[in-house]
Amino acid sequence: MAAVLLLRCGARGGRRALRETFEKLLIANRGEIACRVIKTCKKMGIKTVAIHSDVDANAVHVKMADEAVCVGPAPTSKSYLNMDAIMEVIKKTRAQAVHPGYGFLSENKEFARRLAAEGVTFIGPDTHAIQAMGDKIESKLLAKNAKVNTIPGFDGVVKDADEAVRIAREIGYPVMIKASAGGGGKGMRIAWDDEETREGFRFSSQEAASSFGDDRLLIEKFIDNPRHIEIQVLADKHGNALWLNERECSIQRRNQKVVEEAPSTFLDPETRRAMGEQAVALAKAVKYSSAGTVEFLVDSSKNFYFLEMNTRLQVEHPVTECITGLDLVQEMIRVAKGYPLRHKQADIPINGWAVECRVYAEDPYKSFGLPSIGKLSQYQEPLHVPSVRVDSGIEQGSDISIYYDPMISKLITYGSNRAEALRRMEEALDNYVIRGVTHNISLLREVIIHPRFVQGDISTKFLPEVYPDGFKGHQLTDRERRELLATAASLYVAEQLRSQRFLGTPRIPIAKSKRSSWELSVHLGDGIYPVAVSKDGSSFSVEVDGMKLNVTGEWNLASPLLSITIDGTQRTIQRLSRDASGKTSIQFLGTVYKLQVLTKTAAELSKYMPEKAAEDTSSILRSPMPGAVVAVSVKPGDMVSEGQEICVIEAMKMQNSMIAAKTGKVKAVHCKAGDTVGEGDLLVELE
């Protein structure tokens, strides 16, 4: 779970670095970021207080903290956003300071004001900076005054959908509609025409109200095909400010980051310096103190435009820690206590390369990631891989619920150069065991090995451009297909041989089976492949497509990870399931493949087995994800057209429009606004 690399690629100094510090600090957050803050506090000798909702009573951050107090039921509005309850905990525990992490109350000026009124230190900037930078309209005006490059757009608040259309036409399509108080991709929509502007206004205002309690929107020109590059800044209360290099965050889906790295392959020293100096100028303009991030959009000509400033710790801060050697949480605590920065701009290095993958409980085959929920029945982080850091707040047995962000962890790898960091990331993803929920390991692995990504040819459109028809998993080459077939066949034979023995001796002592060859049939996708296997010691010789492959391994079938070698190529695979009919699921090269291994005789007989008829999904609408029903637009007897909105499902604070697959009459509606639905639940039937 934890920041193994904090000693290798970050975190200089400890308790000795401070003559005086806080005695007790409360973390107003949950999950991995709460755990991350607690680790630094332990290193600095600061006692910690965790808050939690009732469903998080056994969460990892609760176990790690010195004290923990429940602040309400599961919904965030009644727990992690419940300022009254949190203030009571602060008084009760006598915490001297509060670290808000990111999200929740981290950029809430009212929370910072209330803390200040009670004499409690907020580990972050003052209320003026939070207000100025948290409001996208005000921040844009301040950026202009500080001579920071800004995107053309409308600087006021958009009143209604009609005004949104008028403004969008004046700016010129495409436009970006986004929440004034937003962040994390919530309350943000791209519109290419009037209809999309009206729809974007509706959804963005609803998401903004739900996530931030503020439905104000603004509109600006959408920079087509840009890179998303951000500058980490660090400032103290004495007028000192630094930029800690950049992070490349262009790999996104639905305006939320998926893969980040530091530094960027795109920036030259001159552009990096110009962006850094503008970021520092903005920080000084608002008298910023603490760690913060200035986000820019960068076009193909390296023109950069201010996007927003996040007045908090960013999710992706570990990659900056890796290349600079700084512990940003420790620096935030030092600044909040009143200490000046310990470093000058010339002291900030770029040592090596770091890559971060956000591991989510999501189905990447649905819109590059719709949330998945469930209990982690098996969980094993790849901490045995060199130069790997995992920031997480879960463990085996933890629940991923609909109430909170579906992030499982942040997986970070570090190398002396980018190629080394990416190789380690590939190995780490292959060695990551996550069972019980659907996850996005397959998508992450495909991204980091894709030729365009490896070459650094990326933009915020990377995913839709590379996968225009949606993500389909790893596409096997002929050689990889043979390797997978040989692996499945070898596993089958190893299982058969193991089943003949018990405690090292034959189950039937009089049976003297010396069988050494098997003729099998392996189903993969639409193909059926004859495979011949012969055993030689711990190795198998497997013939596929007229070619022989040598497969060796320890064949510890009880292990979640299996290291095998196929003709000299080492692969780490996971066998996720198997049953008596020969069906098995194998995670190979990051993607899960479903196969069926049968003996030659069983394969010949299987063609007589009737197949289950596929469900006609054109007349029904099922929920593609777990979530809450926000609105239902139809009732029985209504006529609907193909593509018409039927209902809206909110999952992890993002609203998703469910549409009709065909034209027809509504036969039955099985949900209503306020209902909680699971993945696959029937919502609406058409005649």
Side-chain angles (χ1 to χ4, degrees):
M1 265 162 306
V4 167
L5 277 188
L6 280 179
L7 296 178
R8 299 181 191 164
C9 65
R12 292 185 224 160
R15 179 68 190 231
R16 273 187 251 167
L18 294 181
R19 294 182 298 278
E20 179 186 352
T21 188
F22 302 106
E23 293 297 323
K24 186 182 290 187
L25 183 149
L26 180 141
I27 299 99
N29 217 299
R30 67 179 297 279
E32 66 86 13
I33 190 58
C35 295
R36 165 71 188 88
V37 174
I38 291 171
K39 289 184 180 75
T40 288
C41 288
K42 286 182 181 296
K43 181 179 65 178
M44 297 175 71
I46 301 172
K47 292 181 179 179
T48 54
V49 180
I51 60 168
H52 64 89
S53 65
D54 53 6
V55 297
D56 272 346
N58 295 314
V60 174
H61 76 280
V62 172
K63 298 174 183 177
M64 287 180 64
D66 296 295
E67 300 175 57
V69 183
C70 182
V71 288
T76 55
S77 61
K78 298 178 180 179
S79 52
Y80 296 104
L81 291 175
N82 187 343
M83 278 190 262
D84 291 338
I86 296 171
M87 294 303 298
E88 281 299 314
V89 175
I90 293 168
K91 291 177 184 177
K92 176 182 176 182
T93 60
R94 297 183 180 179
Q96 300 165 312
V98 172
H99 197 300
Y102 55 76
F104 293 141
L105 298 172
S106 62
E107 295 174 288
N108 189 298
K109 61 182 182 294
E110 174 64 16
F111 184 55
R113 186 195 63 76
R114 290 183 64 171
L115 290 174
E118 295 294 332
V120 177
T121 302
F122 180 72
I123 309 296
D126 62 25
T127 54
H128 165 69
I130 295 173
Q131 178 172 340
M133 293 295 101
D135 188 309
K136 288 185 172 64
I137 297 168
E138 186 177 350
S139 67
K140 190 172 179 181
L141 293 173
L142 281 164
K144 281 183 178 179
N145 292 334
K147 295 183 169 45
V148 177
N149 304 341
T150 57
I151 301 172
F154 178 70
D155 295 331
V157 177
V158 184
K159 297 176 183 176
D160 53 35
D162 289 336
E163 186 179 34
V165 169
R166 180 182 61 77
I167 293 168
R169 288 175 178 175
E170 289 176 0
I171 296 171
Y173 288 110
V175 297
M176 175 71 83
I177 303 167
K178 56 186 182 181
S180 176
K186 297 178 177 68
M188 191 178 293
R189 290 287 192 283
I190 300 167
W192 295 80
D193 54 37
D194 291 355
E195 184 180 347
E196 289 186 359
T197 299
R198 292 182 184 279
E199 184 179 83
F201 182 90
R202 177 165 68 99
F203 280 131
S204 291
S205 58
Q206 289 174 354
E207 287 178 0
S210 173
S211 297
F212 315 113
D214 184 344
D215 65 357
R216 294 177 304 145
L217 303 176
L218 71 155
I219 300 178
E220 61 190 17
K221 182 70 176 176
F222 175 62
I223 307 299
D224 200 13
N225 215 39
R227 286 175 178 259
H228 186 143
I229 299 177
E230 60 192 28
I231 301 290
Q232 176 73 58
V233 295
L234 182 64
D236 62 23
K237 299 178 186 295
H238 305 279
N240 303 307
L242 305 171
W243 48 275
L244 308 182
N245 303 310
E246 80 279 5
R247 294 187 288 257
E248 172 74 71
C249 307
S250 297
I251 307 299
Q252 305 179 1
R253 86 281 184 270
R254 298 190 300 280
N255 300 308
Q256 290 185 312
K257 301 159 190 170
V258 179
V259 178
E260 302 103 347
E261 59 183 310
S264 169
T265 60
F266 190 60
L267 295 193
D268 53 58
E270 292 74 22
T271 308
R272 176 179 294 117
R273 186 181 307 109
M275 293 176 70
E277 289 174 351
Q278 286 199 16
V280 165
L282 180 60
K284 288 185 174 180
V286 291
K287 295 181 173 57
Y288 194 85
S289 62
S290 193
T293 300
V294 181
E295 303 196 354
F296 293 94
L297 292 182
V298 186
D299 68 19
S300 57
S301 300
K302 296 184 181 175
N303 299 308
F304 56 90
Y305 304 94
F306 171 71
L307 183 63
E308 64 181 349
M309 183 176 188
N310 290 305
T311 56
R312 53 170 168 80
L313 197 64
Q314 288 282 87
V315 175
E316 57 273 18
H317 76 275
V319 292
T320 296
E321 293 184 328
C322 286
I323 67 166
T324 62
L326 297 178
D327 179 336
L328 290 180
V329 174
Q330 181 174 345
E331 296 301 324
M332 293 176 77
I333 294 172
R334 281 180 51 86
V335 167
K337 190 64 179 174
Y339 289 94
L341 297 182
R342 295 178 287 178
H343 310 284
K344 303 295 184 185
Q345 189 62 58
D347 300 332
I348 305 303
I350 298 180
N351 287 329
W353 211 285
V355 179
E356 173 178 296
C357 285
R358 298 192 188 188
V359 182
Y360 282 102
E362 289 182 338
D363 185 346
Y365 300 94
K366 296 178 179 178
S367 301
F368 300 112
L370 293 184
S372 169
I373 61 172
K375 185 183 288 292
L376 289 166
S377 57
Q378 197 167 8
Y379 184 74
Q380 183 176 307
E381 294 172 349
L383 296 175
H384 59 285
V385 178
S387 298
V388 167
R389 165 176 168 175
V390 185
D391 282 16
S392 67
I394 48 88
E395 60 188 354
Q396 188 164 305
S398 292
D399 282 308
I400 306 294
S401 73
I402 65 169
Y403 298 108
Y404 311 117
D405 189 275
M407 182 188 287
I408 293 173
S409 74
K410 300 180 312 199
L411 177 64
I412 305 103
T413 56
Y414 177 78
S416 58
N417 54 51
R418 188 170 187 259
E420 185 179 346
L422 290 177
R423 280 196 303 272
R424 287 173 174 167
M425 180 60 74
E426 186 178 346
E427 184 181 0
L429 290 168
D430 283 342
N431 282 270
Y432 207 145
V433 178
I434 305 170
R435 309 282 171 84
V437 296
T438 305
H439 55 75
N440 67 334
I441 293 286
S442 56
L443 175 63
L444 296 172
R445 194 182 189 281
E446 286 303 292
V447 168
I448 65 157
I449 67 170
H450 194 279
R452 271 188 57 179
F453 182 83
V454 172
Q455 293 163 12
D457 178 17
I458 60 177
S459 74
T460 55
K461 284 187 169 183
F462 180 88
L463 289 178
E465 284 179 353
V466 170
Y467 308 107
D469 300 320
F471 180 65
K472 309 293 184 185
H474 182 73
Q475 303 303 301
L476 295 168
T477 63
D478 286 342
R479 176 181 173 178
E480 291 167 347
R481 175 180 55 81
R482 288 191 291 270
E483 288 184 1
L484 176 57
L485 294 170
T487 299
S490 298
L491 282 169
Y492 175 85
V493 172
E495 188 77 55
Q496 295 298 309
L497 293 173
R498 188 181 74 163
S499 68
Q500 295 172 8
R501 305 182 69 81
F502 180 71
L503 297 179
T505 60
R507 289 180 179 272
I508 307 175
I510 61 172
K512 302 293 183 182
S513 173
K514 292 187 178 181
R515 185 177 179 183
S516 60
S517 63
W518 294 260
E519 288 189 36
L520 306 173
S521 178
V522 184
H523 294 226
L524 173 62
D526 296 328
I528 301 176
Y529 305 91
V531 178
V533 182
S534 57
K535 189 175 186 301
D536 182 14
S538 62
S539 301
F540 294 103
S541 178
V542 185
E543 185 174 335
V544 184
D545 294 343
M547 301 179 67
K548 286 194 175 182
L549 291 81
N550 184 260
V551 184
T552 61
E554 294 182 3
W555 307 113
N556 179 6
L557 301 179
S559 173
L561 294 171
L562 293 171
S563 179
I564 61 174
T565 302
I566 309 171
D567 282 352
T569 301
Q570 192 275 332
R571 304 285 193 197
T572 299
I573 68 163
Q574 299 183 40
R575 187 175 64 166
L576 306 182
S577 66
R578 66 178 181 86
D579 63 23
S581 69
K583 291 180 179 178
T584 185
S585 294
I586 297 175
Q587 186 172 312
F588 178 77
L589 301 176
T591 293
V592 177
Y593 296 93
K594 294 182 178 181
L595 306 96
Q596 185 176 27
V597 184
L598 299 171
T599 63
K600 185 177 180 181
T601 302
E604 291 172 352
L605 294 173
S606 68
K607 61 187 177 184
Y608 298 107
M609 297 291 289
E611 293 186 6
K612 182 179 179 180
E615 182 181 37
D616 177 14
T617 57
S618 64
S619 297
I620 60 173
L621 177 66
R622 293 187 182 277
S623 178
M625 76 207 93
V629 180
V630 175
V632 179
S633 308
V634 299
K635 62 183 183 300
D638 286 355
M639 290 297 298
V640 296
S641 302
E642 182 179 350
Q644 180 179 332
E645 180 180 291
I646 289 181
C647 64
V648 176
I649 304 291
E650 182 177 272
M652 279 64 175
K653 300 297 180 185
M654 296 292 284
Q655 295 195 353
N656 304 271
S657 177
M658 304 291 106
I659 61 174
K662 71 174 187 178
T663 299
K665 182 185 286 188
V666 177
K667 178 181 178 182
V669 178
H670 298 278
C671 63
K672 64 182 183 300
D675 284 355
T676 298
V677 295
E679 180 181 356
D681 284 1
L682 183 61
L683 303 175
V684 175
E685 292 180 85
L686 302 181
E687 290 183 357

